Amino acid sequence: TNMNVPRYTLVDVRSKPEQQVSMIPNAITLDQFEANLNLNRNDKHKNKHKHAKQAFRKNNNSSPSEGHIVVTYCTIGYRSGLEAQRLRDQYNLNVRNLDGIVGYTHACTALTAIKEISNIDATADATAYASAKVDVDVDVDYTLIDPKTKEATKNVHVFGSAWDVASDDFQTLWFSKFDMALRGIGVGFKAFLGSIRSFFQNCRSSCSTTDAVVTR
């Protein structure tokens, strides 16, 4: 195991209907992530159940500690970008935004092809693979997971037909135009709230800077 590789938690910020189709392996939902995060923070403030808290952190990678990276994802990265900003502002976490599950399907296809090539000896392609130094685990199936069965699946929800650009190796599903319109309004409202939140945070920051200057 490479000790220099940072620990991370993969957080799926999509809606439940999307998650029920498939998720990226080892990902947890946003609700699960925040519930675990708030549980630990409440324990810290109350200073109770110390041993239970330590056991929870040891066995649950959804509670980020110092140096821990939180990675959010949605379909193409817009919703997860909004949530990444909110989590960063609200919890002061190290959050990164993944391009999305659509991009992940293409990565799965590419890594699967590389894995197959890496199993072929004495070929030009295998030599190219070796020279590229791509770290591919030949024992891993690069795919998505059905959260109900925990089995690999090639089904993926892409939110709307406009984002039906997943890898051809995957079967895509999406919301109806009416449902997508309603959900789009919700996303827009979240973006609006995020802008308001950032505005007031910037105001507080400016006021704090001004107070510091006046004090001097």
Side-chain angles (χ1 to χ4, degrees):
T1 303
N2 188 350
M3 299 302 292
N4 294 323
V5 176
R7 294 183 63 238
Y8 69 91
T9 296
L10 190 58
V11 182
D12 188 329
V13 310
R14 299 174 302 154
S15 64
K16 287 184 179 180
E18 295 169 271
Q19 294 167 347
Q20 288 170 352
V21 174
S22 63
M23 295 175 64
I24 295 177
N26 300 317
I28 62 172
T29 68
L30 181 61
D31 288 343
Q32 290 172 327
F33 174 74
E34 291 199 85
N36 292 334
L37 188 63
N38 289 326
L39 173 63
N40 272 8
R41 286 174 179 257
N42 288 337
D43 280 349
K44 181 177 181 180
H45 290 308
K46 295 177 181 178
N47 197 27
K48 293 180 179 179
H49 313 299
K50 181 177 180 181
H51 296 297
K53 176 185 173 185
Q54 291 174 342
F56 178 87
R57 283 184 170 173
K58 180 179 180 181
N59 297 314
N60 194 319
N61 70 347
S62 59
S63 178
S65 56
E66 185 177 355
H68 193 109
I69 298 174
V70 179
V71 181
T72 58
Y73 78 89
C74 58
T75 302
I76 58 172
Y78 182 72
R79 288 176 291 171
S80 54
L82 295 176
E83 292 296 348
Q85 185 63 53
R86 182 182 67 81
L87 292 172
R88 188 182 298 118
D89 294 342
Q90 185 172 339
Y91 299 106
N92 193 29
L93 300 173
N94 183 2
V95 189
R96 312 290 174 83
N97 183 27
L98 192 66
D99 285 342
I101 200 169
V102 167
Y104 182 82
T105 62
H106 290 279
C108 286
T109 297
L111 290 171
T112 298
I114 292 173
K115 184 177 73 170
E116 293 173 353
I117 291 172
S118 69
N119 288 325
I120 303 174
D121 294 327
T123 66
D125 287 336
T127 302
Y129 159 80
S131 63
K133 297 181 180 179
V134 179
D135 186 12
V136 176
D137 191 336
V138 295
D139 295 322
V140 172
D141 289 328
Y142 295 98
T143 185
L144 296 171
I145 296 295
D146 183 326
K148 297 184 292 293
T149 65
K150 307 301 181 184
E151 299 291 333
T153 179
K154 290 290 187 178
N155 295 327
V156 59
H157 201 297
V158 296
F159 192 79
S161 58
W163 299 279
D164 184 20
V165 290
S167 168
D168 291 338
D169 290 343
F170 289 78
Q171 180 66 42
T172 55
L173 301 85
W174 55 81
F175 292 120
S176 67
K177 290 183 178 179
F178 178 74
D179 198 4
M180 187 179 69
L182 291 178
R183 293 176 184 277
I185 292 173
V187 173
F189 185 67
K190 275 190 174 183
F192 172 73
L193 290 179
S195 298
I196 296 297
R197 184 173 58 249
S198 296
F199 172 76
F200 282 109
Q201 286 175 340
N202 290 334
C203 286
R204 285 197 299 269
S205 178
S206 297
C207 290
S208 298
T209 302
T210 302
D211 291 342
V213 172
V214 171
T215 302
R216 290 179 183 177

